[in-house]
Amino acid sequence: MKSISLLPALALILAGCGSLVPSTVLRASSLDPLTADPAVLAAYPVLPDGIGLVPGESRLILSGVRDDTGEENRQEYVLIAQDGGYRIDPRDHARLRGQQAALAEWKTGPGMEGSLSIFLAPCRIGDGPSADARYAVDVSFAADGERLPLLRDAPLSDLGIDVEGMPDCRT
């Protein structure tokens, strides 16, 4: 039986691995994406001047492939700006819970390979960020909303963002 792990997904998504906060990574590694309450998960990016996120374009993608049949269950969920962070759109909570249940059934039955990823759509503000710009990310995994530092002082250049090819935030 194979399962989905949030820790590798976080490590892949966040290229500034040297800037990862170990205590938060350890806490995230115990989070099971198949049982996590979508209503309490949140990310709080701290972006440098000159960069923003295109409203309504950021997504969380959860997928699983059954080991026995190769059947895939892949869903995308809109991340919306809320309370200074980004959360799964409440209109998607029921659909995500349904997918979690289906994938959990596969996990305990035939087995599966799963993945969790996040797609963020950056946009440029004015001339964009400086060449040495840095960013941070806090996360929340609990109903009490405690914000935990996940990434600190990470170089934006590690993400390989093409500032010139980025859309303007005002368009």
Side-chain angles (χ1 to χ4, degrees):
M1 173 185 355
K2 298 175 186 161
S3 64
I4 297 174
S5 173
L6 183 59
L7 183 59
L10 287 172
L12 291 173
I13 292 164
L14 305 169
C17 292
S19 302
L20 284 171
V21 177
S23 60
T24 305
V25 172
L26 182 60
R27 195 160 169 187
S29 69
S30 67
L31 180 69
D32 182 352
L34 300 183
T35 59
D37 181 356
V40 301
L41 301 175
Y44 301 88
V46 180
L47 301 174
D49 290 339
I51 193 167
L53 295 176
V54 179
E57 293 296 320
S58 296
R59 305 271 190 272
L60 178 138
I61 303 161
L62 179 61
S63 65
V65 178
R66 282 177 62 132
D67 288 343
D68 60 344
T69 65
E71 180 183 352
E72 182 178 14
N73 181 330
R74 180 183 186 280
Q75 300 283 329
E76 292 188 17
Y77 303 94
V78 175
L79 298 176
I80 60 170
Q82 185 180 48
D83 300 327
Y86 286 83
R87 296 178 179 273
I88 298 166
D89 189 324
R91 295 175 292 195
D92 282 340
H93 290 178
R95 185 166 59 93
L96 176 54
R97 287 183 181 111
Q99 185 191 22
Q100 287 173 311
L103 293 177
E105 209 172 283
W106 287 1
K107 180 180 169 183
T108 58
M112 66 156 204
E113 186 71 36
S115 68
L116 175 71
S117 56
I118 295 175
F119 169 78
L120 299 175
C123 57
R124 187 180 66 252
I125 300 170
D127 292 333
S130 66
D132 61 347
R134 303 184 90 67
Y135 72 102
V137 177
D138 293 341
V139 293
S140 176
F141 304 127
D144 66 9
E146 178 187 8
R147 287 173 64 162
L148 304 169
L150 180 62
L151 259 154
R152 284 287 163 254
D153 200 34
L156 191 62
S157 59
D158 284 358
L159 297 177
I161 294 174
D162 174 20
V163 174
E164 295 301 318
M166 206 183 295
D168 190 295
C169 289
R170 296 172 295 194
T171 58

